[in-house]
Each structure stands twice: as structure tokens, then as C-alpha cells.
Coordinates of all heavy atoms in Angstrom, one line a residue:
E1 N 88.5 163.9 113.8 CA 89.6 164.8 114.2 C 90.8 164.7 113.3 O 91.6 165.7 113.2 CB 89.9 164.6 115.7 CG 88.8 164.8 116.7 CD 88.0 163.5 116.9 OE1 88.0 162.7 116.0 OE2 87.4 163.4 118.0
L2 N 91.0 163.6 112.7 CA 92.2 163.4 111.8 C 91.9 163.7 110.4 O 92.9 163.6 109.6 CB 92.7 161.9 112.0 CG 93.1 161.5 113.4 CD1 93.6 160.1 113.4 CD2 94.1 162.5 114.0
T3 N 90.7 163.9 110.0 CA 90.4 164.1 108.6 C 89.9 165.5 108.2 O 89.8 165.8 107.0 CB 89.3 163.1 108.2 OG1 88.1 163.3 108.9 CG2 89.7 161.6 108.4
D4 N 89.6 166.3 109.2 CA 89.1 167.6 109.0 C 87.9 167.7 108.1 O 87.8 168.5 107.2 CB 90.3 168.5 108.4 CG 91.4 168.7 109.3 OD1 91.1 168.8 110.6 OD2 92.6 168.8 108.9
T5 N 87.0 166.7 108.3 CA 85.8 166.6 107.5 C 84.6 166.5 108.4 O 84.8 166.2 109.6 CB 85.8 165.4 106.5 OG1 85.9 164.2 107.3 CG2 87.0 165.5 105.6
E6 N 83.4 166.6 107.9 CA 82.2 166.5 108.6 C 81.6 165.1 108.4 O 80.4 164.9 108.7 CB 81.2 167.6 108.3 CG 81.8 169.0 108.6 CD 82.0 169.2 110.0 OE1 81.3 168.6 110.9 OE2 82.9 170.0 110.4
I7 N 82.3 164.2 107.9 CA 81.8 162.8 107.6 C 81.4 162.2 108.9 O 82.1 162.1 109.9 CB 82.8 162.0 106.8 CG1 83.1 162.6 105.5 CG2 82.3 160.6 106.6 CD1 84.1 161.9 104.7
T8 N 80.2 161.6 108.9 CA 79.7 160.9 110.1 C 80.3 159.5 110.2 O 80.4 158.7 109.2 CB 78.2 160.7 110.0 OG1 77.6 162.0 110.0 CG2 77.7 160.0 111.3
V9 N 80.9 159.2 111.3 CA 81.5 157.9 111.5 C 80.4 156.8 111.6 O 79.5 156.9 112.4 CB 82.3 157.8 112.8 CG1 82.9 156.4 113.1 CG2 83.5 158.8 112.7
T10 N 80.5 155.8 110.8 CA 79.5 154.7 110.8 C 80.1 153.4 111.3 O 81.2 153.1 111.0 CB 78.9 154.5 109.4 OG1 80.0 154.2 108.5 CG2 78.2 155.7 108.9
P11 N 79.3 152.7 112.1 CA 79.8 151.4 112.7 C 80.0 150.3 111.6 O 79.3 150.3 110.6 CB 78.8 151.0 113.7 CG 77.5 151.7 113.2 CD 77.9 153.0 112.6
D12 N 81.0 149.5 111.8 CA 81.2 148.3 111.0 C 81.8 147.2 111.8 O 82.2 147.4 113.0 CB 82.0 148.6 109.7 CG 83.4 149.1 110.1 OD1 84.2 148.2 110.6 OD2 83.7 150.3 110.0
A13 N 82.0 146.0 111.3 CA 82.6 144.9 112.0 C 83.5 144.2 111.1 O 83.5 142.9 111.0 CB 81.5 144.0 112.5
T14 N 84.4 144.9 110.4 CA 85.4 144.3 109.5 C 86.4 143.5 110.3 O 86.8 142.4 109.8 CB 86.1 145.4 108.6 OG1 85.1 146.1 108.0 CG2 87.0 144.7 107.6
R15 N 86.8 144.0 111.4 CA 87.8 143.3 112.3 C 87.1 142.9 113.6 O 86.3 143.6 114.1 CB 88.9 144.3 112.6 CG 89.6 144.9 111.4 CD 90.6 144.0 110.7 NE 91.3 144.6 109.6 CZ 92.2 144.0 108.9 NH1 92.6 142.7 109.2 NH2 92.8 144.6 107.9
P16 N 87.6 141.8 114.1 CA 87.1 141.4 115.5 C 87.6 142.4 116.5 O 88.6 143.1 116.3 CB 87.7 140.0 115.7 CG 88.9 139.9 114.8 CD 88.6 140.8 113.6
P17 N 86.9 142.5 117.6 CA 87.2 143.6 118.5 C 88.3 143.4 119.6 O 88.6 144.4 120.3 CB 85.8 143.8 119.3 CG 85.2 142.4 119.3 CD 85.7 141.8 118.0
G18 N 88.8 142.2 119.6 CA 89.8 141.9 120.7 C 91.0 142.9 120.8 O 91.3 143.4 121.8
Y19 N 91.6 143.0 119.6 CA 92.8 143.9 119.6 C 92.5 145.4 119.8 O 93.3 146.1 120.5 CB 93.6 143.7 118.3 CG 95.0 144.3 118.4 CD1 96.0 143.9 119.3 CD2 95.3 145.4 117.5 CE1 97.2 144.5 119.3 CE2 96.5 146.0 117.5 CZ 97.5 145.6 118.5 OH 98.7 146.2 118.5
A20 N 91.4 145.8 119.3 CA 91.0 147.2 119.5 C 90.8 147.5 120.9 O 91.1 148.6 121.4 CB 89.7 147.5 118.7
M21 N 90.2 146.5 121.7 CA 90.0 146.7 123.1 C 91.3 146.7 123.9 O 91.4 147.4 124.9 CB 89.0 145.7 123.7 CG 87.6 145.7 123.1 SD 86.9 147.4 123.1 CE 86.8 147.7 124.8
F22 N 92.2 146.0 123.4 CA 93.6 146.0 124.0 C 94.2 147.4 123.8 O 94.9 147.9 124.7 CB 94.5 144.9 123.3 CG 95.9 145.0 123.7 CD1 96.4 144.7 124.9 CD2 96.8 145.5 122.7 CE1 97.8 144.8 125.2 CE2 98.2 145.6 123.0 CZ 98.6 145.3 124.3
L23 N 94.0 148.0 122.6 CA 94.6 149.3 122.3 C 93.9 150.4 123.1 O 94.5 151.5 123.3 CB 94.5 149.6 120.8 CG 95.4 148.7 119.9 CD1 95.1 149.2 118.4 CD2 96.8 148.8 120.2
Y24 N 92.6 150.2 123.4 CA 91.8 151.2 124.0 C 92.5 152.0 125.1 O 92.4 153.3 125.1 CB 90.5 150.6 124.5 CG 89.5 151.6 125.1 CD1 88.6 152.3 124.4 CD2 89.5 151.8 126.5 CE1 87.7 153.2 125.0 CE2 88.6 152.7 127.1 CZ 87.8 153.4 126.3 OH 86.9 154.3 126.9
P25 N 93.1 151.4 126.1 CA 93.7 152.2 127.2 C 94.8 153.1 126.8 O 95.1 154.1 127.5 CB 94.2 151.2 128.2 CG 93.5 149.9 127.8 CD 93.3 150.0 126.4
F26 N 95.5 152.8 125.7 CA 96.7 153.5 125.2 C 96.4 154.6 124.2 O 97.1 155.5 124.1 CB 97.7 152.5 124.6 CG 98.0 151.4 125.5 CD1 97.5 150.1 125.4 CD2 99.0 151.5 126.6 CE1 97.8 149.1 126.2 CE2 99.3 150.5 127.4 CZ 98.7 149.3 127.2
V27 N 95.3 154.4 123.4 CA 95.1 155.2 122.2 C 94.8 156.7 122.5 O 94.2 157.1 123.5 CB 93.9 154.6 121.4 CG1 92.6 155.0 121.9 CG2 94.1 155.0 119.9
T28 N 95.4 157.5 121.7 CA 95.2 159.0 121.7 C 94.8 159.5 120.3 O 95.2 158.9 119.3 CB 96.4 159.7 122.3 OG1 97.5 159.5 121.4 CG2 96.8 159.3 123.7
V29 N 94.1 160.6 120.3 CA 93.8 161.3 119.0 C 94.3 162.7 119.1 O 93.8 163.5 119.9 CB 92.3 161.2 118.8 CG1 91.9 161.9 117.4 CG2 91.7 159.8 118.9
P30 N 95.3 163.0 118.2 CA 96.0 162.2 117.2 C 96.9 161.2 117.9 O 97.3 161.4 119.0 CB 96.7 163.2 116.3 CG 97.0 164.3 117.3 CD 95.8 164.4 118.2
P31 N 97.4 160.2 117.1 CA 98.4 159.3 117.7 C 99.7 160.0 117.9 O 100.1 160.9 117.2 CB 98.5 158.2 116.5 CG 98.1 158.9 115.3 CD 97.1 159.9 115.7
T32 N 100.4 159.5 118.9 CA 101.7 160.1 119.3 C 102.8 159.0 119.4 O 102.5 157.8 119.5 CB 101.6 160.8 120.7 OG1 101.3 159.9 121.7 CG2 100.5 161.9 120.6
V33 N 104.0 159.5 119.4 CA 105.1 158.5 119.6 C 105.0 157.9 120.9 O 105.3 156.7 121.1 CB 106.5 159.3 119.4 CG1 107.6 158.4 119.8 CG2 106.6 159.8 118.0
E34 N 104.7 158.6 121.9 CA 104.5 158.1 123.3 C 103.5 157.0 123.3 O 103.6 155.9 124.0 CB 104.2 159.2 124.3 CG 105.3 160.2 124.5 CD 105.5 161.2 123.4 OE1 104.5 161.3 122.6 OE2 106.5 161.8 123.4
M35 N 102.4 157.2 122.6 CA 101.3 156.2 122.6 C 101.8 154.9 122.0 O 101.6 153.8 122.5 CB 100.1 156.7 121.7 CG 99.0 155.8 121.6 SD 97.9 156.1 120.2 CE 98.9 155.3 118.8
V36 N 102.5 155.0 120.8 CA 103.0 153.8 120.2 C 104.0 153.1 121.0 O 104.0 151.9 121.1 CB 103.6 154.2 118.8 CG1 104.3 153.0 118.1 CG2 102.5 154.8 117.9
Y37 N 104.9 153.8 121.7 CA 105.9 153.2 122.6 C 105.2 152.5 123.7 O 105.7 151.3 124.0 CB 106.8 154.3 123.1 CG 108.0 153.7 123.9 CD1 109.1 153.1 123.3 CD2 107.9 153.7 125.3 CE1 110.1 152.6 124.1 CE2 109.0 153.2 126.1 CZ 110.0 152.6 125.4 OH 111.1 152.1 126.2
S38 N 104.2 153.0 124.3 CA 103.5 152.3 125.4 C 102.9 151.0 124.9 O 102.9 150.0 125.6 CB 102.4 153.3 126.0 OG 103.0 154.4 126.5
I39 N 102.3 151.1 123.7 CA 101.7 149.8 123.2 C 102.7 148.8 122.9 O 102.6 147.6 123.2 CB 100.9 150.2 121.9 CG1 99.7 151.0 122.2 CG2 100.5 148.9 121.2 CD1 99.1 151.6 120.9
R40 N 103.9 149.2 122.4 CA 105.0 148.3 122.1 C 105.5 147.7 123.4 O 105.8 146.4 123.4 CB 106.1 149.0 121.3 CG 105.7 149.3 119.9 CD 106.8 150.2 119.2 NE 106.6 150.3 117.8 CZ 107.1 151.2 117.0 NH1 107.9 152.1 117.6 NH2 106.9 151.2 115.7
V41 N 105.7 148.4 124.4 CA 106.2 147.9 125.7 C 105.2 146.9 126.3 O 105.5 145.9 126.8 CB 106.4 149.0 126.7 CG1 106.7 148.5 128.1 CG2 107.6 149.9 126.2
A42 N 103.9 147.2 126.2 CA 102.8 146.3 126.7 C 102.9 145.0 125.9 O 102.8 143.9 126.5 CB 101.5 146.9 126.5
Q43 N 103.2 145.1 124.6 CA 103.3 143.9 123.8 C 104.5 143.1 124.1 O 104.5 141.9 124.0 CB 103.2 144.2 122.3 CG 101.8 144.8 121.9 CD 101.6 145.0 120.4 OE1 100.5 145.1 119.9 NE2 102.7 145.2 119.7
V44 N 105.6 143.8 124.4 CA 106.8 143.1 124.9 C 106.6 142.3 126.1 O 107.0 141.1 126.3 CB 108.0 144.1 125.1 CG1 109.1 143.5 125.9 CG2 108.5 144.6 123.8

């Protein structure tokens, strides 16, 4: 949705999944200022 291409998303494991799962409840596509603020407050 952010690249305007038909490229197929392929799985990888470059990063461990812990932080991605933390971001999961907050994340939106596309990213918004409100999304980032919510993540920052959670981290505070």
C-alpha cells in the first residue's frame, strides 16, 4: 500500500519479532502522527 507496486511481500527473519509485536496494536497503514504519538506514550 505504501509502494504502489505489485511486488509480493515475502517473509524474512532479519529482526527478532518482539518489538514488532509490541508495535502491532498501534500500527496503521499508512503511518500517521497519531500512531507515532501513541507508540511514544506507551514507551514513556
